Amino acid sequence: MNVPTNLFMWIMACLPIIVLLLLMIKFQWGATEAAPVGLAITIITGIVFYKADIRLLAAESAKGIWSALIILLIVWTAILLYQVADEARAFLVIRNGMRKLLPNELLMVLALGWILESFLQGITGFGVPVAVGAPLLMGIGVVPVFAVIIPLLGQAWGNTFGTLAAAWDALAMSTGLVPGTPDYLAAAFWAGVFIWMWNVVIGLVICWFYGKGKAVRKGLPALLILSLIQGGGELLLTPGCNTTIACFLPACLSLVALILIGRMKMYRQEWSVEDSRIMDRGAASGTSEETPDGMTLVQAFVPYILLTVVTMVVLVVPPVNRFLNQVSIGFSFPETSTGYGFVNQATELFSPLRPFTHASMFLFLSSIAGLVYFGRHGWIRPGGVKRVFVRSVTMSMPSGIAIIGLVIMSKIMGGTGQTSVLADGIARVLGKTYVILAPLVGMVGSFMTGSNMSSNILFGEFQVTTANLLHLNQAPILGAQTAGGSIGSAISPSNIILGTTTAGILGSEGQVLKRIIPFTTIMTLAIGIIVFLSVAVS
């Protein structure tokens, strides 16, 4: 890379991100308003300082639009699924049924905001746990902002080995890690350790949000058991090359464990923090409505059960997956380069959409099946089908501007070399102390792209190169890279928009970021310090 890495160029590369964060956190702008500003700054810095031409900008913008449309498919189908359940008043049944099944309100919040999201992240990912989890939490009385925050956290620990280990496989591919080799196993071990730490923090933070110290003390035994199953189970599976199910299997077991925990003496009685800041019990879905006649808790969950079954069959059964994966849609892009010689390789099929194995297809099929099921039982009122589709389109349209703007911004930053300068500048200035910020690089990549997989592809090779230049063991650094990417998924604006859209509070992204960024940053730096002590001091 011939792009000059100096303080000025580094600041110019940082500028779009700094402005975006300031507008959203300090000035409380919504992502819909802030994204175009960040995009405009990215284009200007790309042209003026990074010598990008119109051809490059057009190609990267087209890539961004295509990637954003794939995300928007998930947004719309997730909202459609929510609207189906809402029209059938299933959330009333879920709320009442979960209160009977888990009379401890804290456990109920953990169930719908952490454990269910972990399971969904294990099989689907792509923001589905956030989009699905937010309305479920609102259904039991969680205020909208926290109904978005909690699923963002709940899914984040599974962001490396979830979605059948897509992000991990991307890291292994981009860095040349060969399954079964010592380097591969060591990197997987370190990733598992860091992610387990993050898993514990997630549980503690959710308890703290619910009722501060009182809730932490009450929830700690359950939290430790669940984290042992999730984080400990993942750590146990990753070194043995079982990375594909390293998140999915422990997440499944934690669902079973939660039900058993709910029958423990200390949790089987009704318990709640009356003044919990995250609860508005009077605003729980449909408090003024009657529950649908004859609907059971299992029936209320039918669309979500179908989502799970369809996803597992398509993704886990190899013959089905291979057959459906044959269809792919994508576009080719030519090679482009900046005036500094930063090259974007030509691609024959950029980010191909495989419609029959894409998360949006699972959501859509589950929505239609749920609509039919609820309709046949008489739980969809006259005109309900039309209302479901109209409301889902209406809710998803405003988020399109923000998502398209943010994704184009990340593509242009990557295509002009700005993203590489960000990471390269940090490494050059800090030397061996760079490893403290190694997970921060992963977090920034995930924040920008909305994907731990993309962050690993973007920065995996860079982390290896830097480790070799500094004569450091690359395994803990790569583990920190992907763990940072997992943490970054909780603060990615595109993921946040999925939640604020389904929660009906689009424009509140700054409030969400403001509450999440402090402890995600602290956790990322804590991982970095551990890496530093393990590789730089020895």
Side-chain angles (χ1 to χ4, degrees):
M1 181 178 72
N2 297 319
V3 184
T5 305
N6 53 49
L7 180 61
F8 177 76
M9 293 293 280
W10 192 85
I11 292 173
M12 289 300 101
C14 283
L15 190 60
I17 297 175
I18 293 171
V19 171
L20 190 70
L21 291 175
L22 279 175
L23 291 176
M24 293 176 67
I25 297 174
K26 175 68 175 177
F27 298 101
Q28 293 296 300
W29 284 29
T32 305
E33 294 79 25
V37 177
L39 175 58
I41 294 172
T42 303
I43 293 172
I44 292 170
T45 55
I47 294 172
V48 177
F49 303 108
Y50 284 82
K51 298 185 179 181
D53 57 22
I54 298 301
R55 185 167 171 265
L56 184 149
L57 294 174
E60 296 305 316
S61 297
K63 291 177 185 177
I65 292 171
W66 173 245
S67 299
L69 289 176
I70 294 175
I71 296 172
L72 288 172
L73 280 174
I74 297 174
V75 174
W76 178 70
T77 50
I79 293 172
L80 181 66
L81 182 64
Y82 160 69
Q83 290 294 345
V84 169
D86 188 55
E87 180 64 31
R89 292 168 293 165
F91 290 123
L92 296 175
V93 178
I94 291 172
R95 181 196 67 198
N96 296 339
M98 289 298 291
R99 283 175 178 168
K100 291 177 182 178
L101 190 64
L102 296 172
N104 184 296
E105 190 174 66
L106 173 59
L107 276 190
M108 186 164 56
V109 171
L110 290 171
L112 295 180
W114 182 25
I115 306 305
L116 179 62
E117 276 65 29
S118 300
F119 174 74
L120 290 174
Q121 183 63 34
I123 54 173
T124 59
F126 300 105
V128 171
V130 181
V132 170
L136 284 174
L137 285 169
M138 289 173 62
I140 62 170
V142 177
V143 297
V145 168
F146 282 100
V148 175
I149 290 172
I150 292 171
L152 281 166
L153 293 171
Q155 57 84 38
W157 78 274
N159 216 267
T160 288
F161 296 102
T163 322
L164 304 182
W168 171 256
D169 289 344
L171 181 67
M173 177 193 68
S174 64
T175 58
L177 290 175
V178 179
T181 61
D183 285 343
Y184 181 95
L185 297 176
F189 171 79
W190 280 104
V193 169
F194 295 142
I195 291 169
W196 190 358
M197 291 169 52
W198 173 225
N199 180 271
V200 173
V201 169
I202 287 169
L204 289 171
V205 169
I206 293 175
C207 290
W208 179 263
F209 279 151
Y210 176 77
K212 296 189 176 179
K214 184 178 182 181
V216 171
R217 289 190 295 272
K218 185 70 174 180
L220 190 59
L223 187 158
L224 293 176
I225 294 170
L226 292 168
S227 185
L228 179 64
I229 294 170
Q230 291 186 337
E234 184 174 85
L235 178 61
L236 186 66
L237 289 169
T238 49
C241 293
N242 294 310
T243 53
T244 301
I245 59 170
C247 173
F248 173 69
L249 183 58
C252 289
L253 293 176
S254 68
L255 281 172
V256 177
L258 182 73
I259 304 302
L260 297 177
I261 290 170
R263 283 161 172 68
M264 290 170 61
K265 184 177 180 180
M266 67 180 300
Y267 292 118
R268 65 187 177 207
Q269 303 299 323
E270 286 191 18
W271 186 88
S272 63
V273 174
E274 290 302 317
D275 59 346
S276 171
R277 59 175 171 163
I278 76 168
M279 301 300 296
D280 183 4
R281 297 172 182 91
S285 291
T287 48
S288 61
E289 295 185 75
E290 293 184 2
T291 56
D293 191 29
M295 185 186 292
T296 66
L297 179 61
V298 172
Q299 289 175 313
F301 270 111
V302 160
Y304 300 100
I305 294 171
L306 290 170
L307 173 64
T308 301
V309 172
V310 171
T311 304
M312 287 181 63
V313 169
V314 173
L315 296 184
V316 178
V317 180
V320 175
N321 186 263
R322 284 195 297 268
F323 176 74
L324 294 177
N325 253 333
Q326 294 179 84
V327 179
S328 62
I329 305 168
F331 298 94
S332 61
F333 288 92
E335 179 181 291
T336 58
S337 62
T338 68
Y340 285 117
F342 186 86
V343 177
N344 299 289
Q345 299 294 334
T347 176
E348 289 298 321
L349 197 65
F350 172 78
S351 188
L353 170 65
R354 293 178 170 83
F356 298 117
T357 58
H358 190 251
S360 62
M361 180 59 72
F362 310 146
L363 288 163
F364 182 74
L365 291 176
S366 303
S367 301
I368 298 303
L371 202 57
V372 172
Y373 181 81
F374 289 145
R376 292 183 66 176
H377 284 76
W379 296 323
I380 299 291
R381 292 163 287 190
V385 175
K386 181 180 179 181
R387 284 194 297 271
V388 163
F389 279 92
V390 169
R391 286 200 297 254
S392 62
V393 171
T394 302
M395 281 185 69
S396 58
M397 284 181 65
S399 60
I401 297 173
I403 291 175
I404 291 172
L406 288 169
V407 177
I408 293 176
M409 175 179 158
S410 72
K411 293 298 181 187
I412 291 178
M413 286 191 69
T416 56
Q418 295 178 67
T419 301
S420 296
V421 166
L422 278 176
D424 193 42
I426 293 172
R428 289 193 183 189
V429 171
L430 296 178
K432 285 192 175 182
T433 56
Y434 157 77
V435 297
I436 296 175
L437 298 184
L440 191 65
V441 171
M443 185 175 79
V444 169
S446 193
F447 171 84
M448 287 167 47
T449 64
S451 165
N452 189 9
M453 180 173 67
S454 297
S455 177
N456 286 342
I457 293 171
L458 199 60
F459 291 129
E461 186 178 356
F462 164 80
Q463 298 276 23
V464 170
T465 302
T466 305
N468 290 337
L469 287 172
L470 298 174
H471 305 291
L472 299 173
N473 181 4
Q474 69 181 33
I477 294 174
L478 289 178
Q481 155 66 33
T482 194
S486 287
I487 296 171
S489 71
I491 59 171
S492 166
S494 58
N495 283 344
I496 293 173
I497 291 167
L498 287 170
T500 55
T501 301
T502 56
I505 54 169
L506 189 66
S508 303
E509 294 79 20
Q511 295 181 42
V512 174
L513 269 173
K514 187 177 181 180
R515 287 178 169 90
I516 299 183
I517 277 184
F519 58 83
T520 51
T521 304
I522 291 170
M523 183 64 206
T524 305
L525 292 175
I527 291 173
I529 291 170
I530 293 172
V531 176
F532 178 76
L533 293 175
S534 67
V535 301
V537 175
S538 59

